[in-house]
């Protein structure tokens, strides 16, 4: 159990307790603990192994919660959560996934209208029952209906971080099984899609029993759903399902290609094979009855006259034609990343100091960073007004002078307010080294107003980059993107020399792959940033890089994949 998983358990306990109407201090204690654990630089398992006492000493944890962490570490579950799940119907907890629905509203709908799932909720909104409930009204009912449509659209998909963690853990375990030779994840997780439905893993093995026994008894597996000669289906903790397929070595590459998809890409490869008088399927590439390739993916692509196509590009977006012409991009790698231009400290809602963030960035080999705490509109996060921001920047200046091997920019994540003005005056923004302009509030405003806000930011000469541009959220409570004409926004950004961020947080990945490709086509430098709120927050850079790879970006398209001097020359103030 890693910190993220323990944190999720406490978060769910907090949510379910609040739906039940538990004491607000108790609820808050769980939420705080979830956050503390999620952001903690050391693994709870390591601390516990070294000395169980250490857990109690973490601020905000204490004896009670430490005992619960111990239970989770030892048994992989928390009986209290199991009980809560029985008391609060799963369909009721699902309501929390709707944008704008907190535990209080959820509890009211459950207890006063007897709503038990999303279908009942939809019916109650349409019949006017919800609008009639005290504290709700027409507007709220309409908002809930919109939120329901969005949840239905995104389905019960899981974010890439969760999917990749589960998939990697199981691939690692299978690799250690004697008699198992090749192991790989396939499917959309291998293509690094931002949300994932099911997982697929392929192996070659002397016999399938050992591999299937390993998966069946893996601690992340909740239940074996089916087991046959060559295929096993399991349900993992957290609800994802996984198929394990045991394939013959001579078909491994063909199976990997087939099960990695996408379906659309495979239609194109099949068509191409047919035009060449070949047949391609999960067993190999065939001329008549004779297999001519199948052992490796490279071999499979070669048989149809193509170079290897990286999984991230297999979406039928022109990759076959590019492969044919030999113009596939040389995709960005995580190791190319030189800087990180979006992060928070204890000055606002981060958990680490300026110095701790700088040290953590250096440890990861970063050559330049920007400290970008929140502006005052984000009062929940103790956002900075002009005076506090200037004092914060002074502090950064003093600390950065001590370092010779890393450049530290004095930045700000400045809100673009609902009335289309910036949250900080121009003279303050002019003093910044790096300004990220963002929409945090009023994301449901009409398109015209959202566009007016974005144009304000783009036209402001001090704005360096638009951060998490669309405001979409892929997490447990998904949020639809703000209404905007993306083409027009990108065109204006290109004209004014404003960069576009790929926010690497797995719940955001905003701007998405298609948006990033469109920005690249306009010559806009892309910045991939972690939005770290803790020293461990830098870990998510990989997900931003995956999204960039799906957009077909090369290192030269990404501003913070450049050396410091090149990056500096790209800054708006230096052009
Ligand atoms: Zn933000
Ligand atoms: Zn931020």
């Amino acid at each position: 159990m890693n910190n993220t998983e323990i944190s999720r358990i406490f978060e769910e306990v907090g949510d379910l307790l609040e739906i039940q109407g538990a004491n607000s201090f108790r609820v808050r204690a769980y939420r705080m603990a979830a956050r503390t654990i999620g952001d903690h630089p050391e693994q709870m398992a390591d601390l516990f192994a070294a000395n169980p006492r250490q857990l109690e000493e973490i601020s905000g944890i204490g004896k009670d919660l430490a005992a619960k962490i111990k239970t989770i570490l030892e048994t992989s579950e928390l009986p209290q959560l199991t009980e809560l799940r029985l008391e609060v119907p799963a369909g009721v907890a699902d309501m929390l996934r709707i944008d704008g629905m907190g535990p209080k509203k959820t509890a009211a709908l459950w207890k006063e209208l007897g709503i038990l799932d999303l279908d009942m909720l939809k019916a109650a909104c349409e019949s006017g029952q919800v609008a009639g409930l005290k504290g709700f009204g027409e507007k709220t009912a309409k908002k809930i209906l919109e939120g329901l449509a969005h949840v239905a659209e995104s389905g019960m998909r899981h974010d890439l971080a969760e999917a990749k963690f589960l998939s990697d853990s199981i691939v690692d375990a299978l690799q250690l099984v004697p008699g198992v030779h090749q192991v790989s994840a396939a499917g959309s997780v291998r293509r690094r899609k931002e949300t994932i439905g099911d997982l697929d893993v392929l192996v070659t093995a002397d016999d399938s029993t050992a591999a299937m026994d390993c998966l069946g008894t893996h601690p992340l597996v909740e239940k074996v759903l089916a087991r046959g000669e060559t295929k096993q289906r399991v349900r993992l903790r957290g609800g994802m399902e996984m198929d394990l397929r045991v394939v013959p070595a001579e078909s491994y590459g063909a199976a990997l290609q087939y099960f990695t998809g996408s379906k659309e890409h495979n239609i194109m490869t099949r068509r191409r094979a047919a035009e060449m008088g070949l047949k391609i399927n999960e067993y190999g590439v065939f001329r008549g009855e004779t297999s001519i390739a199948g052992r490796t993916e490279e071999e499979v692509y070669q048989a149809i006259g193509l170079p290897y196509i990286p999984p991230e590009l297999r979406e039928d977006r022109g990759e076959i034609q590019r492969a044919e012409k030999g113009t596939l991009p040389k995709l960005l790698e995580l190791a190319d990343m030189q800087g990180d231009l979006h992060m928070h400290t204890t000055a606002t809602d981060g958990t680490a100091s300026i110095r701790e963030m700088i040290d953590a960035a250096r440890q990861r080999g970063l050559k330049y960073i920007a400290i970008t705490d929140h502006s005052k509109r984000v009062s929940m996060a103790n956002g900075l007004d002009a005076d506090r921001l200037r004092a914060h920047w002074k502090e950064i200046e003093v600390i950065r002078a001590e370092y010779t091997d890393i450049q530290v920019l004095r930045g700000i994540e400045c809100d673009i307010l609902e009335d289309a003005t910036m949250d900080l005056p121009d003279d303050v923004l002019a003093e910044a080294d790096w300004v990220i302009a963002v929409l945090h509030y009023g994301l449901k405003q009409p398109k015209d107003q959202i566009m007016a806000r974005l144009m304000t930011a783009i036209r402001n000469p001090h704005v360096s980059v638009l951060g998490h541009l669309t405001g979409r959220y892929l997490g447990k409570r998904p949020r639809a993107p703000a209404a905007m004409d993306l083409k027009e926004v990108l065109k204006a950004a290109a004209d004014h020399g404003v960069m576009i961020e790929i926010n690497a947080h797995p719940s955001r990945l905003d701007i998405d792959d298609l948006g990033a490709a469109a920005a690249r086509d306009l010559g806009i430098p892309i910045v991939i940033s972690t939005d770290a709120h803790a020293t461990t927050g830098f870990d998510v850079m990989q997900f931003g890089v995956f999204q960039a790879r799906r957009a077909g970006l090369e290192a030269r398209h990404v501003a913070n994949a450049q050396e410091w001097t090149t990056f500096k020359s790209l800054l708006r103030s230096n052009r």
Side-chain angles (χ1 to χ4, degrees):
M1 275 276 185
N2 66 16
N3 286 357
T4 313
E5 296 174 282
I6 301 172
S7 163
R8 277 208 188 107
I9 290 179
F10 281 126
E11 207 179 293
E12 191 179 344
V13 170
D15 285 347
L16 297 184
L17 280 174
E18 194 170 10
I19 293 176
Q20 281 192 330
N23 175 308
S24 66
F25 288 104
R26 236 180 113 208
V27 172
R28 202 171 320 149
Y30 281 103
R31 294 248 166 83
M32 292 278 291
R35 173 123 192 234
T36 304
I37 296 164
D39 286 347
H40 205 276
E42 286 160 286
Q43 290 296 324
M44 295 297 125
D46 295 341
L47 292 177
F48 181 70
N51 175 6
R53 268 277 145 87
Q54 281 194 74
L55 296 181
E56 295 170 25
E57 284 155 22
I58 301 171
S59 95
I61 299 291
K63 251 207 173 86
D64 261 19
L65 290 171
K68 293 192 164 144
I69 296 173
K70 178 172 175 265
T71 308
I72 295 170
L73 287 171
E74 287 172 346
T75 66
S76 294
E77 55 188 6
L78 187 63
Q80 185 192 7
L81 177 59
T82 314
E83 245 166 70
L84 279 167
R85 280 176 175 165
L86 291 175
E87 287 164 13
V88 180
V92 171
D94 278 348
M95 289 194 246
L96 288 175
R97 300 177 66 238
I98 299 164
D99 189 13
M101 284 279 292
K104 280 211 185 77
K105 281 197 186 122
T106 302
L109 291 168
W110 174 34
K111 290 184 179 157
E112 293 181 36
L113 295 181
I115 292 172
L116 294 173
D117 58 38
L118 299 185
D119 289 337
M120 286 176 82
L121 178 59
K122 183 156 182 259
C125 283
E126 287 165 348
S127 72
Q129 252 187 309
V130 170
L133 192 62
K134 194 168 160 274
F136 280 76
E138 294 283 346
K139 226 175 134 185
T140 308
K142 196 173 151 246
K143 240 182 99 178
I144 293 175
L145 275 176
E146 285 168 12
L148 274 168
H150 184 60
V151 168
E153 211 173 274
S154 54
M156 290 305 271
R157 295 182 75 83
H158 298 255
D159 75 29
L160 178 59
E162 180 187 1
K164 183 170 180 293
F165 166 75
L166 293 167
S167 167
D168 286 354
S169 307
I170 286 173
V171 165
D172 288 350
L174 287 167
Q175 239 141 17
L176 298 176
V177 177
V180 167
H181 305 297
Q182 287 157 294
V183 188
S184 174
S188 48
V189 78
R190 183 160 178 249
R191 303 199 315 279
R192 310 308 192 195
K193 243 186 110 157
E194 60 199 24
T195 58
I196 308 289
D198 293 345
L199 298 173
D200 294 281
V201 170
L202 302 184
V203 303
T204 59
D206 294 338
D207 94 276
S208 59
T209 314
M212 289 187 183
D213 287 348
C214 165
L215 180 62
T217 55
H218 194 283
L220 287 174
V221 170
E222 210 171 73
K223 195 174 178 204
V224 176
L225 301 171
R227 180 169 169 167
E229 281 291 295
T230 58
K231 190 181 150 187
Q232 183 180 25
R233 188 167 181 85
V234 298
R235 187 166 61 235
L236 301 168
R237 272 212 333 260
M240 293 196 86
E241 294 186 3
M242 174 182 273
D243 284 333
L244 172 69
R245 289 189 168 81
V246 184
V247 302
E250 62 274 15
S251 295
Y252 180 70
L256 193 53
Q257 199 279 332
Y258 181 88
F259 288 109
T260 295
S262 65
K263 221 179 262 158
E264 293 74 17
H265 174 84
N266 286 353
I267 289 172
M268 299 302 284
T269 51
R270 262 205 306 276
R271 189 173 299 166
R272 190 180 166 83
E275 282 164 11
M276 298 170 72
L278 302 171
K279 202 177 88 196
I280 184 168
N281 60 27
E282 68 214 83
Y283 304 105
V285 184
F286 296 86
R287 178 170 287 126
E289 297 295 304
T290 322
S291 167
I292 59 164
R295 210 163 264 281
T296 67
E297 275 193 321
E298 282 81 357
E299 207 180 277
V300 169
Y301 281 107
Q302 202 183 16
I304 54 170
L306 296 176
Y308 177 78
I309 300 176
E312 292 96 329
L313 296 180
R314 300 181 194 170
E315 298 289 346
D316 186 25
R317 293 177 182 163
E319 70 276 8
I320 305 263
Q321 291 84 338
R322 248 167 270 146
E324 197 170 41
K325 283 191 223 140
T327 57
L328 281 175
K330 187 184 176 304
L331 296 181
L332 177 78
E333 309 263 356
L334 182 59
D336 292 326
M337 300 312 296
Q338 309 266 330
D340 190 347
L341 286 306
H342 187 156
M343 68 192 66
H344 299 267
T345 70
T346 45
T348 58
D349 57 350
T351 60
S353 67
I354 297 167
R355 198 182 296 277
E356 286 165 339
M357 290 306 276
I358 298 176
D359 286 336
R362 284 173 70 229
Q363 268 172 24
R364 280 157 208 259
L366 294 176
K367 300 292 181 237
Y368 51 94
I369 60 171
I371 308 260
T372 55
D373 277 297
H374 286 290
S375 63
K376 63 180 190 294
R377 175 67 177 85
V378 193
S379 51
M380 232 171 58
N382 194 24
L384 304 167
D385 61 18
D387 289 344
R388 285 183 56 220
L389 178 57
R390 283 185 168 123
H392 179 51
W393 281 344
K394 273 258 156 60
E395 207 183 326
I396 295 173
E397 274 170 39
V398 171
I399 296 171
R400 75 179 173 185
E402 297 168 21
Y403 294 87
T404 54
D405 56 355
I406 187 166
Q407 302 290 331
V408 181
L409 300 181
R410 299 165 311 138
I412 178 76
E413 177 176 6
C414 183
D415 264 67
I416 313 167
L417 301 179
E418 290 93 318
D419 65 357
T421 60
M422 298 297 285
D423 195 20
L424 286 162
D426 267 10
D427 62 317
V428 179
L429 295 180
E431 290 168 30
D433 301 323
W434 178 254
V435 177
I436 309 173
V438 294
L439 304 170
H440 281 135
Y441 299 92
L443 290 165
K444 291 263 169 87
Q445 284 182 332
K447 187 165 158 185
D448 287 353
Q449 188 56 22
I450 296 281
M451 288 301 284
R453 293 167 73 185
L454 291 170
M455 289 304 166
T456 298
I458 292 168
R459 291 195 193 108
N460 185 302
H462 311 300
V463 168
S464 318
V465 61
L466 297 175
H468 49 71
L469 176 58
T470 74
R472 72 174 187 160
Y473 204 75
L474 305 165
K476 203 172 73 180
R477 299 176 199 179
R479 189 169 62 216
M484 65 181 69
D485 182 337
L486 187 62
K487 249 195 194 139
E488 207 176 302
V489 174
L490 294 179
K491 218 183 143 300
D495 288 346
H496 288 81
V498 173
M499 300 187 196
I500 298 291
E501 175 185 271
I502 294 178
N503 191 292
H505 197 282
S507 296
R508 288 196 181 271
L509 294 173
D510 185 9
I511 197 166
D512 68 7
D513 46 2
L514 291 173
R520 181 257 339 260
D521 289 344
L522 289 166
I524 300 172
I526 309 288
V527 179
I528 308 175
S529 301
T530 62
D531 206 348
H533 282 70
T535 52
T536 47
F538 293 119
D539 289 343
V540 303
M541 182 58 91
Q542 54 177 321
F543 300 105
V545 171
F546 293 149
Q547 193 77 334
R549 288 170 64 88
R550 287 180 54 83
L553 299 193
E554 304 189 0
R556 67 191 166 99
H557 300 127
V558 176
N560 53 327
Q562 312 306 314
E563 287 183 6
W564 164 245
T565 45
T566 311
F567 176 80
K568 209 169 113 187
S569 70
L570 290 172
L571 291 178
R572 200 174 178 181
S573 51
N574 291 329
R575 272 185 297 161

